[in-house]
């Protein structure tokens, strides 16, 4: 999504009353603040947050929300909400841009990081070097999506390298678009998170995912031909692969789930919590085998992580990750941050 899709380049003049124009124009993109009155009859809109930070909730009553959306998001919103359930859409402010690819120098950085990660993975290397390669690659997106909510946040981030937030905003929009469009075609689509889908394992679903992957492969191949990159290195970028065959899946909300594979292995993800045991049954998900509190890690998250469990919302001192980073990883990350200091771009 970041490499192959169009992003904001130069700001252009626009008329907010013409917001519909950007739903079907690909040479220009936009970000708008909208007031939408509608009846929400689907949980799929919960992937969008209103300007007050709250998620959109399903319900029988007509509701009016204020929300910031790119043109890609707005088109998704209308599709998911269904036009007959929308009473009105009013654009309160609109900014438009010419659409184009990322700067070549940033493409080179992304491709180099991805190449390093792919080489390590193909060699079966999964030590701190692979962890580090993933952090560096994901960090390119992360520094575009820093949350600056207060003056203190701004002061904390002012001296750190940061990319154009618009690149991160549109990358997120394209990712949601791809997940929604693919998920809607799948039977038994039960969960998605950023770049993953949990659905029933059927021949038709496998066929649909294969067709989606073929389209992505063609996009990446065209990108490589246009900008002179090695398709053999980038092949597979953006495609879905089967990571686990799941027998039991239980979710309690965003980033809060547990599943059992056909081999009997359990995977647990609860933002802001950790498990007391490495082997849990599906019953343990709701009977007290989840513990909240601090987990010592070198990579520390701010104390703003929340999770809901057994009907209670709790604030933890940081998210829980399966991997405990070693001293070598910490040293390696510190070294590369110093060696690869990126100048701020305004």
């Amino acid at each position: 999504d970041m490499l192959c899709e169009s992003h904001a380049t130069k700001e252009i003049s626009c008329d907010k009353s013409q917001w519909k124009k950007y739903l079907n124009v690909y040479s220009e993109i936009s970000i708008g603040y909208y007031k939408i009155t509608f009846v929400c009859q689907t949980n799929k809109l919960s992937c969008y947050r209103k300007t007050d930070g709250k998620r959109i909730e399903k319900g029988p009553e007509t509701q009016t929300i204020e929300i910031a959306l790119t043109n890609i998001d707005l088109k998704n919103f209308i599709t998911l909400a269904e036009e007959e359930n929308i009473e009105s859409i009013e654009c309160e402010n609109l900014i438009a841009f010419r659409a184009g690819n990322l700067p070549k120098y940033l493409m080179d950085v992304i491709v180099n990081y991805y190449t390093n990660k792919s080489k390590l993975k193909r060699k079966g290397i999964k030590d701190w070097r692979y962890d580090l390669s993933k952090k560096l690659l994901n960090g390119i997106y992360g520094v575009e999506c820093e949350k600056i909510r207060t003056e203190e946040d701004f002061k904390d981030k002012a001296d750190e390298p940061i990319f154009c937030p618009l690149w991160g905003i549109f990358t997120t929009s394209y990712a949601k678009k791809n997940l929604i469009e693919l998920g809607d075609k799948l039977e038994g689509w039960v969960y998605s998170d950023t770049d993953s889908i949990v659905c029933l394992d059927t021949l038709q679903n496998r066929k649909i995912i294969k067709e989606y992957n073929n389209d992505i492969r063609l996009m990446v191949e065209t990108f490589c031909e246009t900008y002179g990159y090695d398709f053999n290195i980038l092949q597979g970028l953006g495609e879905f692969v089967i990571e686990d065959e799941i027998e039991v899946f239980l979710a309690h909300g965003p980033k809060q789930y547990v599943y059992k594979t056909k081999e009997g292995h359990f995977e647990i993800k609860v933002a802001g919590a950790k498990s007391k045991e490495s082997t849990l049954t599906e019953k343990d998900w709701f009977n007290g085998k989840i513990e909240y509190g601090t987990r010592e890690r070198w990579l520390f998250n701010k104390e703003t992580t929340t999770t809901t469990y057994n009907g209670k919302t709790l604030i933890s001192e940081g998210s829980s990750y399966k991997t405990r980073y070693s001293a070598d990883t910490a040293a390696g990350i510190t070294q590369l941050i110093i060696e690869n200091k990126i100048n701020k771009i305004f």
Side-chain angles (χ1 to χ4, degrees):
D1 295 323
M2 182 173 285
L3 276 177
C4 301
E5 297 281 12
S6 296
H7 292 269
T9 56
K10 183 178 180 180
E11 185 176 350
I12 57 177
S13 61
C14 63
D15 181 351
K16 67 180 183 181
S17 67
Q18 301 298 312
W19 59 267
K20 289 184 180 179
K21 157 189 170 182
Y22 298 97
L23 298 179
N24 297 298
V25 172
Y26 300 101
S27 59
E28 299 173 0
I29 53 182
S30 67
I31 300 175
Y33 284 87
Y34 298 92
K35 183 180 288 185
I36 305 176
T37 301
F38 73 116
V39 177
C40 183
Q41 297 188 345
T42 175
N43 286 320
K44 294 173 185 175
L45 285 172
S46 64
C47 66
Y48 292 108
R49 291 183 183 271
K50 298 174 284 186
T51 53
D52 61 8
K54 297 179 180 178
R55 294 184 183 275
I56 298 172
E57 295 184 359
K58 179 180 177 181
E61 303 296 327
T62 300
Q63 57 181 296
T64 298
I65 65 169
E66 293 185 351
I67 190 168
L69 297 168
T70 68
N71 57 309
I72 297 116
D73 288 324
L74 182 58
K75 190 171 184 177
N76 278 337
F77 186 101
I78 294 171
T79 300
L80 291 174
E82 300 180 356
E83 289 194 43
E84 61 268 25
N85 295 320
I86 300 175
E87 183 177 311
S88 65
I89 299 178
E90 178 185 349
C91 182
E92 299 183 324
N93 193 14
L94 191 70
I95 306 172
F97 308 86
R98 296 201 186 284
N101 286 96
L102 294 174
K104 184 66 163 58
Y105 61 83
L106 182 56
M107 289 184 189
D108 289 342
V109 173
I110 296 171
V111 171
N112 286 338
Y113 282 170
Y114 183 82
T115 299
N116 291 337
K117 182 177 81 75
S118 298
K119 286 180 177 178
L120 291 170
K121 186 175 182 179
R122 289 171 185 173
K123 291 179 180 178
I125 297 173
K126 288 296 185 75
D127 58 13
W128 71 269
R129 290 170 291 178
Y130 182 74
D131 288 341
L132 178 56
S133 69
K134 288 179 64 177
K135 290 295 175 187
L136 289 171
L137 182 62
N138 293 342
I140 295 173
Y141 167 76
V143 295
E144 296 163 12
C145 295
E146 292 281 2
K147 294 179 180 178
I148 309 294
R149 294 196 178 100
T150 66
E151 184 178 349
E152 288 71 24
D153 285 343
F154 179 79
K155 290 177 180 177
D156 288 342
K157 301 293 180 183
D159 294 327
E160 295 183 10
I162 187 168
F163 287 129
C164 174
L166 289 171
W167 298 337
I169 290 170
F170 279 95
T171 297
T172 303
S173 291
Y174 289 124
K176 285 181 179 178
K177 169 182 173 290
N178 290 339
L179 278 177
I180 290 167
E181 289 183 351
L182 177 58
D184 265 343
K185 297 176 183 177
L186 299 172
E187 181 185 359
W189 175 29
V190 296
Y191 185 85
S192 285
D193 183 2
T194 310
D195 59 357
S196 62
I197 284 179
V198 179
C199 66
L200 289 177
D201 186 5
T202 67
L203 290 177
Q204 181 63 15
N205 278 355
R206 286 182 178 247
K207 179 183 177 183
I208 292 169
I209 293 172
K210 183 178 180 180
E211 291 171 351
Y212 171 88
N213 284 345
N214 288 339
D215 291 340
I216 295 297
R217 188 176 297 114
L218 179 60
M219 179 187 292
V220 174
E221 191 171 6
T222 302
F223 170 81
C224 289
E225 291 175 356
T226 303
Y227 293 100
Y229 294 114
D230 187 352
F231 178 67
N232 292 323
I233 294 293
L234 294 184
Q235 187 173 7
L237 180 67
E239 297 180 27
F240 282 97
V241 296
I242 297 175
E243 292 188 350
D244 281 312
E245 294 185 343
I246 298 171
E247 188 175 89
V248 178
F249 181 89
L250 294 169
H252 195 57
K255 298 185 184 296
Q256 302 169 50
Y257 58 82
V258 61
Y259 66 83
K260 177 184 177 184
T261 68
K262 289 184 178 179
E263 293 77 24
H265 178 67
F266 281 85
E267 287 286 341
I268 302 164
K269 172 70 176 184
V270 183
K274 65 177 183 178
S275 61
K276 292 180 181 179
E277 302 175 15
S278 59
T279 304
L280 300 179
T281 67
E282 52 266 36
K283 290 182 180 179
D284 291 331
W285 178 245
F286 293 110
N287 72 2
K289 290 290 182 68
I290 301 295
E291 178 184 292
Y292 296 91
T294 303
R295 177 174 184 179
E296 294 181 359
R297 298 190 323 283
W298 183 77
L299 297 175
F300 181 69
N301 287 346
K302 291 185 177 180
E303 298 181 16
T304 55
T305 304
T306 63
T307 189
T308 301
Y309 175 70
N310 250 0
K312 296 180 181 179
T313 300
L314 302 129
I315 300 176
S316 84
E317 296 181 4
S319 296
S320 172
Y321 294 94
K322 184 172 64 176
T323 304
R324 184 182 292 274
Y325 295 97
S326 67
D328 286 343
T329 304
I333 291 175
T334 303
Q335 181 181 349
L336 277 206
I337 286 175
I338 293 171
E339 291 177 355
N340 295 289
K341 188 74 173 177
I342 303 172
N343 292 327
K344 286 185 286 187
I345 298 172
F346 295 93

